[in-house]
Structures are given as C-alpha cells and as structure tokens.
Amino acid sequence: MKIVKFILSFIFALMFINAGLNKFFHYSPMPKMSDEQIKIFAAFSEIGWLLPLVGIVEIVGGVLFIFQKTKALGAIILLPVMVGIVIHNIYRDPNQMGIITAVVMFLINIWAIIDDREKYKALVR
C-alpha cells in the first residue's frame, strides 16, 4: 500500500509541476477554446501577476507533495488551486474527460489531506 501511495503522490505532483512550468515556458499546445473560455483567459492574462502566481503555487505545491515529510503542506497549498480546477471544468469546460480527471485529482488531494490529518491537529485546536 505504501508504494501505491507514493506512486499516486508522485504522479499527482508531477501533473502540478508540469502545469506550473507550462505557465512559464508554454511548451504544451493549448487546446481549442470556446469563445467564453477565450474571454476568461484574456481576463486572466490582463491581470499580469495572476498566472505566474498560480504557476508558482503549482510548482511549489507539487514539489512539496512528492516528499512524505512535506506532503501535508503541499496538499493544503494545492487545495485552492484544485477547487478552482474542478469548478472551471464543471461550469466553463463541461468536457467529460476533463471533469473526470479534475474530480479524480481532487479526490487524491482530499485523500492526502485525510491521510495526514494528524499533522493538521495543531492548526485546529
């Protein structure tokens, strides 16, 4: 079971590191977007600091998520980004595969938080 946890954590972390690095280096092609998605992306681009901030959060959270000692911190850092991804995929990009991927990744994030719940007890006393 320990190896399964590590593999899931590693793949989850690599997906976020990849997404964060893509925000800086633009090496992955953009899928065809609807008119509404183009407006949303233009609004995000107009706020010059938003996409780099999300990219940094994804990279830092992904790197922290790889290591068992810092996985709890990485899971908490990535949670708001993951909520945004799920909401976007449900309301703005209702692609079945995108929704399934987002929900599975969200469940992995929630699982990691529940698995490390002992580390959060000091925060909620």
Side-chain angles (χ1 to χ4, degrees):
M1 186 64 174
K2 208 172 198 178
I3 192 77
V4 172
K5 284 183 183 181
F6 176 75
I7 290 171
L8 277 176
S9 297
F10 191 73
I11 291 171
F12 181 85
L14 285 181
M15 290 180 78
F16 272 100
I17 293 168
N18 179 49
L21 289 174
N22 190 42
K23 287 180 178 53
F24 293 104
F25 300 116
H26 310 289
Y27 53 83
S28 185
M30 290 284 289
K32 182 155 175 50
M33 295 189 289
S34 67
D35 291 337
E36 187 174 341
Q37 288 175 317
I38 291 171
K39 285 185 215 173
I40 292 169
F41 190 73
F44 286 155
S45 297
E46 193 171 312
I47 304 171
W49 55 267
L50 185 60
L51 287 178
L53 175 66
V54 173
I56 290 170
V57 168
E58 288 175 341
I59 294 167
V60 170
V63 169
L64 290 171
F65 203 89
I66 290 174
F67 305 104
Q68 184 60 38
K69 188 173 183 176
T70 59
K71 186 171 75 170
L73 179 59
I76 290 295
I77 288 173
L78 290 174
L79 185 63
V81 176
M82 199 63 244
V83 168
I85 291 169
V86 169
I87 291 171
H88 174 81
N89 276 288
I90 291 173
Y91 291 107
R92 299 292 182 204
D93 186 18
N95 171 340
Q96 187 176 14
M97 192 61 196
I99 292 172
I100 291 170
T101 304
V103 168
V104 167
M105 290 195 55
F106 181 72
L107 291 174
I108 292 171
N109 197 353
I110 295 298
W111 160 75
I113 290 171
I114 291 170
D115 193 42
D116 289 329
R117 65 186 169 272
E118 293 296 320
K119 294 180 180 178
Y120 304 119
K121 283 192 176 180
L123 297 174
V124 292
R125 284 187 188 174

